[in-house]
Each structure stands twice: as structure tokens, then as C-alpha cells.
């Protein structure tokens, strides 16, 4: 296996796990580059945690292989895989000092005490806890305890870092600051990392690539921008953020784009899709939508459809305008509130024209 501290690639080949009659992970094949951070994301029961535990050696695969640095480690015991792990519950020893907790993995590897001390000091300095070495975990905040757990995971110079819902126990503000901090440390050290999370914003913030899982399979793999802006299915578009869906019929072509007649009224242009479909489903993000009153002239480059305002919700930075389209489908716009002023308001029951840039139209599979 690759030596500790060396950036190492990870490969999963046909990884499968069956519990009884239930296939929890189904033929997952994925390659993660050295130094890359990848987030496994999906609803409860999608197989993301089981996949992480098979990588760690805590669950034995039914089929398939796990390779680190090109070496098969599928049958290698977890304690011999040189993997650092970061858990949601920190898993610190309450009776041991911060320094002793961080040193534990090195001691288990039989490292000499004279070599352990400087490594522990370096790891604690990296997570900004150098002055807390002699404290007990109970004397630390949740964020500080998570930093100790991170120091313990990286002090062994792992080939791979696994993060299992690492920030789930922290409050929102602390969680957001720790997302940035962990990401900076991972990039500085160049460690290959795999993270499991149910938090979409966390995955988009921290990962180089996001893996969306559904029913044990990979639904879509891509950069955060690709996953968010170019979802392949209704499931992905709905799971990552909010999305509006418009049904329409292909009315013709305009170069490399399709002209689509919306069921709700209006005609839009979308990127040409394969398969020669006559019916199409379009995803539009709510923050891309603006509203005009009926009679105001839209731009020639805009897409749009008529809608009726149902409810207006002030959300601080944005105002959410919930509407109903003429075909009965729901539709929402997130309008920005700028300089302390609420976005232009509309009244419940008012007929409006919802519009957005044609570049915001994206065809998705209806699944």
C-alpha cells in the first residue's frame, strides 16, 4: 500500500452489499483521484453510509473490490488500511487529555514516544488547538472537540480520510465555519477524502465532486456546479436545492436548441436532448425567476409563463413568491431583497408573468 502522507487514489469496482434479500449497495463503480474530496449524498437508506463503511473495512462487501493506490484492500482488516476517520459523535476518550487522544493512533502503531510528541504538537497546531493539549474533552466546545477528532485522524498521515456526517452535531453557524476549516486542512495536506452527508449545502461547499446516490446506485456524479445547474433527473433537481418543473411539447428546432411549447402557456428554448422526445420536462431554479405584471414587456431573450400568486413569504435575504401555473402545477420564485428593502411585492390572487433567462432551462429525465 501507499505510504502514509502520500496522496493516493481510491477506486470502487462493482461494489455491492446485500443484507438478507435487500440490496443496499448495488454495483457501485467510482474512481476518486489523489487529493480529491468527494461527497456521497442522498436520502436515508440510499446506501451512502454502507459504502463508506465498506471502504473503511467495517462492512465486508458481498461483491466487488476496493482499491487504494491500485492495491486491492477489500479483504484487508480495517486497522491495516491506513485510513483516518472522522465521526459525527467525535468518539473521543473522555478520561484522556486532548494530546493523549491525538496520540492514541500513533501509540497503537508502536511509534516511539520521542517521535509521537512533535507529531501531536504539529497536528494540534494545524487545527489551532496547540494551547489545549492538556485539557479533557469535557472542557471543550463541540467545535473544539471536532477539531481534536480531526487532529487524531490526520496525525497518522493516512492515505485516505473518511468523514461520516462529521458536522451533524454542531449548530448551524459553527457547522458552516467548520466546513471551510476542514476543507482548507484537507487541501493543505492533499489528503484524498470521502465524506458522507445528508446536508446538500455541506456537500456543495466542501467537495470537489458530489456523488448522488439513490436506492443503492449512483444517480449522478459531477462537480457541485454540474450537479446543481445540470441535473440529469427530476430526483437530482429536487434533492439538491429547490426546483420548478415545467412540462411541454417540442414544437421545433432553433439551431442546437429545441423550441418547447409549455403546457402552462408560453414557449421556451432548451438545449437539444437526445432521443427525439416529443414531450419534455424542464427544470428551472427559483432564484433564476423574476416576476412581471401582466402587460409589462419581457425581454426577447427571456423564457416565461403566466402564473397566479398564491402566497408571499418574507425570508430575510429573499422573498419567496409561491404561485400556481395555468396547468395547475406549483411554481416558486426567490426574489432578492437588496439594501434592506423587500423585493417588489405582489398580491395573492394576482396574475403575473414569471420569466427567466433561457440559459436557465434544463431538460431532465422524469424520474
Amino acid at each position: 500500500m501507499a505510504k502514509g502522507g502520500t496522496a493516493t487514489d481510491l477506486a470502487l469496482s462493482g461494489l455491492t452489499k446485500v443484507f438478507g434479500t435487500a440490496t443496499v449497495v448495488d454495483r457501485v463503480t467510482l474512481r476518486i483521484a489523489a487529493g480529491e474530496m468527494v461527497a456521497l449524498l442522498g436520502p436515508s437508506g440510499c446506501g451512502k453510509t454502507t459504502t463508506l463503511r465498506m471502504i473503511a473495512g467495517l462492512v465486508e462487501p458481498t461483491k466487488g473490490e476496493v482499491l487504494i493506490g491500485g492495491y486491492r484492500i477489500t479483504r484487508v482488516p480495517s486497522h491495516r488500511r491506513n485510513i483516518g476517520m472522522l465521526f459525527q459523535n467525535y468518539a473521543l476518550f473522555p478520561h484522556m487529555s486532548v494530546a493523549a487522544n491525538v496520540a492514541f493512533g500513533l501509540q497503537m502503531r508502536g511509534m516511539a514516544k520521542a517521535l509521537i510528541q512533535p507529531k501531536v504538537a504539529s497536528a494540534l497546531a494545524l487545527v489551532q488547538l496547540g494551547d489545549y493539549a492538556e485539557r479533557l474533552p469535557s472542557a471543550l466546545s463541540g467545535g473544539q472537540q471536532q477539531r481534536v477528532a480531526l487532529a487524531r485522524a490526520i496525525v497518522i498521515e493516512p492515505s485516505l480520510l473518511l468523514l461520516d456526517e462529521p458536522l451533524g452535531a454542531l449548530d448551524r453557524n459553527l457547522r458552516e465555519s467548520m466546513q471551510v476549516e476542514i476543507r482548507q486542512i484537507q487541501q493543505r495536506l492533499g489528503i484524498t477524502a470521502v465524506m458522507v452527508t445528508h446536508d446538500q449545502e455541506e456537500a456543495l461547499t466542501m467537495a470537489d465532486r458530489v456523488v448522488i446516490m439513490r436506492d443503492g446506485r449512483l444517480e449522478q456524479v459531477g462537480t457541485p456546479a454540474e450537479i446543481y445547474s445540470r441535473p440529469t433527473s427530476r430526483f437530482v433537481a429536487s434533492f439538491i436545492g429547490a426546483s420548478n418543473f415545467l412540462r411541454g411539447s417540442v414544437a421545433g428546432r432553433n439551431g442546437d436548441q429545441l423550441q418547447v411549447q409549455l403546457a402552462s402557456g408560453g414557449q421556451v428554448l432548451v438545449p437539444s436532448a437526445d432521443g427525439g422526445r416529443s414531450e419534455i420536462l424542464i427544470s428551472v431554479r427559483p432564484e433564476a425567476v423574476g416576476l412581471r405584471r401582466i402587460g409589462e414587456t419581457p425581454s426577447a431573450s427571456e423564457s416565461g409563463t403566466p402564473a397566479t400568486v398564491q402566497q408571499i413569504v418574507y425570508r430575510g435575504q429573499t422573498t419567496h413568491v409561491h404561485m400556481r401555473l395555468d396547468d395547475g402545477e406549483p411554481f416558486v420564485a426567490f426574489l432578492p431583497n437588496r439594501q434592506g428593502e423587500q423585493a417588489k411585492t405582489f398580491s395573492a390572487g394576482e396574475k403575473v408573468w414569471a420569466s427567466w433567462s433561457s440559459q436557465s432551462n434544463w431538460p431532465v429525465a422524469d424520474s
Side-chain angles (χ1 to χ4, degrees), residues 190-205:
I191 298 176
T192 308
V194 181
M195 174 178 68
V196 161
T197 180
H198 67 278
D199 188 318
Q200 295 96 330
E201 290 186 5
E202 189 167 283
L204 297 178
T205 299

Side-chain angles (χ1 to χ4, degrees), residues 184-221:
Q184 287 176 336
I185 291 173
Q186 181 265 335
Q187 288 178 314
R188 190 181 314 163
L189 298 178
I191 298 176
T192 308
V194 181
M195 174 178 68
V196 161
T197 180
H198 67 278
D199 188 318
Q200 295 96 330
E201 290 186 5
E202 189 167 283
L204 297 178
T205 299
M206 297 179 66
D208 294 299
R209 285 189 298 155
V210 177
V211 176
I212 306 295
M213 295 189 67
R214 181 185 187 188
D215 298 332
R217 297 183 179 182
L218 304 188
E219 181 81 5
Q220 185 174 353
V221 181

Side-chain angles (χ1 to χ4, degrees), residues 314-342:
Y314 179 76
R315 296 289 297 270
Q317 292 183 338
T318 58
T319 293
H320 294 192
V321 182
H322 296 267
M323 296 164 279
R324 186 71 61 181
L325 302 180
D326 286 359
D327 64 352
E329 292 295 320
F331 201 80
V332 63
F334 295 169
L335 306 180
N337 299 321
R338 295 190 176 94
Q339 298 179 347
E341 296 183 0
Q342 188 173 352

